[in-house]
Amino acid sequence: MENNQIEVVEGDITLCKVDAIVNAANRTLLGGGGVDGAIHRSAGPELLKECEALPELEPGVRCQTGDAKLTRAYQLPAKYVIHTVGPVSRDGLHGEAEKLRDCYQHSLELAVQNNCRSIAFPAISTGVYHFPPKKAAEIAVSTVKEFLSNHPDLEVLFVCFDRRTASIYHHLLSDE
Ligand code: APR
């Protein structure tokens, strides 16, 4: 039985008309490639300006791995962008799974704190950061399901950029 608060779609997260889209950023929050690049391109230059204005926790770092920061979304159809920094996958022995769980947990908390009713996630860390897609999806789905059990009004969209990733999520969610 698929959870009716969770939906899996294949597509481009910058087109999602939800309250918040999550960006798989890096610690500078100054943009990059992948979904980070797509979000900044679609949001327009004001997004970078807001990110640059966020306080540096240490030189060049505005968001620690596993943490999340909220900004406006400017020219994107969403209301907010929640920037989170996923772990770079090494050997799975450096707390990568816990950090990835933190990304989902902190993004969800930030969304609820800002009265969001819907939030869209990309497959955080599974691109440039090389996190194994199936393991990442298992972490994403388990963290989101646990959070939703206490937040019945929140809707979560997993936006997969390719069919392979979408089928991993569909398989996980229909396996109840
Ligand atoms: N919409 C949805 N998903 C997307 C999009 C998009 N427009 N573009 C890419 N993706 C997917 C990728 O296919 C991958 O499944 O997002 C997932 C995460 O991949 P990356 O964007 O490479 O993010 P990540 O692996 O977390 O690496 C973050 O990459 O872009 C830089 O600045 C970023 O340094 C940071 C690093």
Side-chain angles (χ1 to χ4, degrees), residues 3-6 105 108-119 143-156:
N3 180 316
N4 61 9
Q5 289 175 263
I6 300 176
Q105 183 66 24
L108 288 160
E109 287 167 355
L110 209 43
V112 165
Q113 283 158 20
N114 288 275
N115 304 313
C116 295
R117 303 288 302 271
S118 54
I119 178 171
T143 309
V144 163
K145 283 174 79 171
E146 187 192 336
F147 189 86
L148 289 180
S149 64
N150 300 315
H151 296 87
D153 296 334
L154 184 62
E155 287 172 18
V156 173

Side-chain angles (χ1 to χ4, degrees), residues 11-15 23-28 30-39 41 84-88 121-131 133 159-162 165:
D12 177 350
I13 201 167
T14 64
L15 304 176
N23 180 21
N26 62 62
R27 297 193 302 160
T28 69
L30 299 183
V35 70
D36 195 4
I39 286 174
R41 269 194 305 280
T84 191
V85 180
V88 177
F121 284 101
I124 302 166
S125 280
T126 65
V128 167
Y129 284 178
H130 300 300
F131 206 105
V159 184
C160 306
F161 207 45
D162 54 69
T165 305

Side-chain angles (χ1 to χ4, degrees), residues 23-29 62-68 83-87 99-100 103 124-125 129:
N23 180 21
N26 62 62
R27 297 193 302 160
T28 69
L29 293 192
R62 290 180 179 79
C63 185
Q64 297 291 9
T65 301
D67 207 352
H83 307 262
T84 191
V85 180
K99 283 293 175 196
L100 187 59
C103 287
I124 302 166
S125 280
Y129 284 178

Side-chain angles (χ1 to χ4, degrees), residues 2 16 50 63 69 89 94 100-101 120 127 129 153 164 168:
E2 189 142 326
C16 287
E50 185 174 351
C63 185
K69 302 282 179 190
S89 179
H94 292 77
L100 187 59
R101 179 176 296 281
Y129 284 178
D153 296 334
R164 180 168 155 269
I168 291 172

